[in-house]
Amino acid sequence: MTTAAATTTPGPTPVLDEQICFALYNASRAVTARYRDLLTPLGLTYPQYLVLLVLWQGGPTTVTELGRQLQLESGTLSPLLKRLEAHGLLTRTRSAADERTVDVALTDAGTALREQAAGFADQICGATGLELTDLQALRADIAALAAAVRANTAAVTAAVASADHAPAPVDQLH
Amino acid sequence: MTTAAATTTPGPTPVLDEQICFALYNASRAVTARYRDLLTPLGLTYPQYLVLLVLWQGGPTTVTELGRQLQLESGTLSPLLKRLEAHGLLTRTRSAADERTVDVALTDAGTALREQAAGFADQICGATGLELTDLQALRADIAALAAAVRANTAAVTAAVASADHAPAPVDQLH
DNA sequence: GCGAAACGAGTTGCGCACAACTCAATCGCG
DNA sequence: CGCGATTGAGTTGTGCGCAACTCGTTTCGC
């Protein structure tokens, strides 16, 4: 019943291929899949690799700071860091200054892994088939989009939270 | 974008903020989070919404075709579709013509949900703060990148698989 | 026809992501 | 000083996402 006329809907229907959301979702998984080929031999997952990137780049840090840079919460980071610790790549120690915070530092093995992962980013760049200049421009646009969406999310959340008091704090499309 | 002095690392170390991979990963999660605010009241998740988009757009289809369009495998789709069926939004029935395939079709409730989700895409576009023209250009660039990376992944996989016979079938960056 | 290979959906196991929660440590304010 | 509020990490539960696998169906070669 009613199998008719559902093909090629004209009107205002959102079409999958025109959605920025799906493009991002799909591209992100495509890049992650390409990284998986490189990371699996090292026993790493992609989010674990991102954590190591931060540590290779900035040295010892805290769980909170990792969460800020990667935009991840403790619910994701805690078990992930425990796995990396179990693999002997980093140490987690309660800070002496503030017992609430946990310091994260690479072990020698974690530091050594940097060499093996040195060429990964270039390989991914090569896989995109783009010039480095174009790739960086695209990266900047995408980063700006992420920042704008996150800011909007925060604004809308705040607006909902204060809906009892204020009528419409932020202009949100209508 | 964080004009801080995070550029401390000189050498060949991959820096998080310069990585296209992290930009995509972060932006995808940011957009998904914004969608979550809209979808949670409807009892939907973001991947479930994508499935409904395909069905709203193209009418009844099969599990395989959904997987092709969304780039998802049965391991992801099967339980997801079961949940949507449990919520009364669609039906899954073995095809009469080929008992291996499963036909997926919206119920009336699933079709009706289209009205409530009609404005979601526009709201996300608004959250990006970009003009529609710029957004579509960005979307096209991102889609092209995804396609290039997926093609490269397939090529490298094939090269590894045939490593026993052929020496180096595909030129892969060096 | 018939047996091997291929195919499509489903299951299992693991690791994210994230909401909601717990709990200890610290801070702020009178 | 004391005590309520806040903060930071961790836990629990749910739903992807994907590899590896199973199982019934179909297709193909002969």
Side-chain angles (χ1 to χ4, degrees), chain B residues 40-56:
Chain B
T40 301
L42 302 186
L44 292 176
T45 66
Y46 179 68
Q48 290 169 8
Y49 167 75
L50 292 180
V51 166
L52 293 181
L53 272 187
V54 174
L55 291 169
W56 288 331

Side-chain angles (χ1 to χ4, degrees), chain A residues 123-147:
Chain A
Q123 289 202 45
I124 302 297
C125 292
T128 66
L130 291 176
E131 289 300 321
L132 212 65
T133 320
D134 300 334
L135 204 54
Q136 284 304 321
L138 184 57
R139 188 208 56 76
D141 288 345
I142 294 169
L145 185 146

Side-chain angles (χ1 to χ4, degrees), chain B residues 51-173:
Chain B
V51 166
L52 293 181
L53 272 187
V54 174
L55 291 169
W56 288 331
Q57 171 187 342
T61 182
T62 65
V63 173
T64 302
E65 177 59 19
L66 281 172
R68 195 193 60 79
Q69 290 197 45
L70 300 174
Q71 294 285 308
L72 290 172
E73 299 159 37
S74 69
T76 300
L77 279 177
S78 286
L80 189 157
L81 293 171
K82 277 179 84 169
R83 280 186 285 272
L84 286 176
E85 185 181 37
H87 280 93
L89 299 180
L90 53 78
T91 60
R92 297 184 305 141
T93 49
R94 288 276 164 191
S95 167
D98 186 341
E99 288 273 339
R100 288 173 303 182
T101 71
V102 166
D103 293 324
V104 178
L106 289 170
T107 63
D108 290 346
T111 306
L113 217 52
R114 181 182 183 172
E115 309 297 327
Q116 300 192 47
F120 288 0
D122 285 343
Q123 289 201 45
I124 302 297
C125 291
T128 65
L130 291 176
E131 290 301 322
L132 213 66
T133 319
D134 300 335
L135 204 53
Q136 283 305 323
L138 184 57
R139 188 208 56 74
D141 287 346
I142 294 168
L145 185 147
V149 172
R150 286 215 195 270
N152 182 272
T153 302
V156 173
T157 304
V160 170
S162 68
D164 329 304
H165 309 285
V170 189
D171 177 40
Q172 174 222 352
L173 195 58

Side-chain angles (χ1 to χ4, degrees), chain A residues 13 26 34 114 150 152, chain B residues 13 26 34 114 150 152:
Chain A
T13 306
N26 189 24
R34 188 69 189 80
R114 183 180 183 172
R150 288 214 193 270
N152 181 274
Chain B
T13 306
N26 189 25
R34 187 70 188 80
R114 181 182 183 172
R150 286 215 195 270
N152 182 272

Side-chain angles (χ1 to χ4, degrees), chain A residues 30-170:
Chain A
V31 171
T32 302
R34 188 69 189 80
Y35 262 108
R36 190 165 17 249
D37 300 335
L38 303 172
L39 292 171
T40 300
L42 302 186
L44 291 176
T45 67
Y46 179 68
Q48 289 169 8
Y49 167 74
L50 291 180
V51 166
L52 293 181
L53 271 187
V54 174
L55 291 168
W56 287 331
Q57 171 187 346
T61 181
T62 64
V63 173
T64 302
E65 178 58 19
L66 281 172
R68 193 192 63 76
Q69 291 197 43
L70 300 174
Q71 296 284 312
L72 291 171
E73 300 158 34
S74 70
T76 299
L77 279 176
S78 285
L80 189 156
L81 292 172
K82 277 177 84 168
R83 280 185 285 270
L84 286 176
E85 186 182 36
H87 280 89
L89 299 180
L90 51 79
T91 59
R92 297 183 307 141
T93 48
R94 288 278 165 187
S95 166
D98 186 340
E99 288 275 338
R100 288 172 305 180
T101 72
V102 166
D103 294 324
V104 178
L106 289 170
T107 62
D108 290 346
T111 306
L113 217 53
R114 183 180 183 172
E115 309 298 327
Q116 300 193 46
F120 288 179
D122 284 343
Q123 289 202 45
I124 302 297
C125 292
T128 66
L130 291 176
E131 289 300 321
L132 212 65
T133 320
D134 300 334
L135 204 54
Q136 284 304 321
L138 184 57
R139 188 208 56 76
D141 288 345
I142 294 169
L145 185 146
V149 172
R150 288 214 193 270
N152 181 274
T153 302
V156 173
T157 304
V160 171
S162 67
D164 328 304
H165 310 286
V170 192

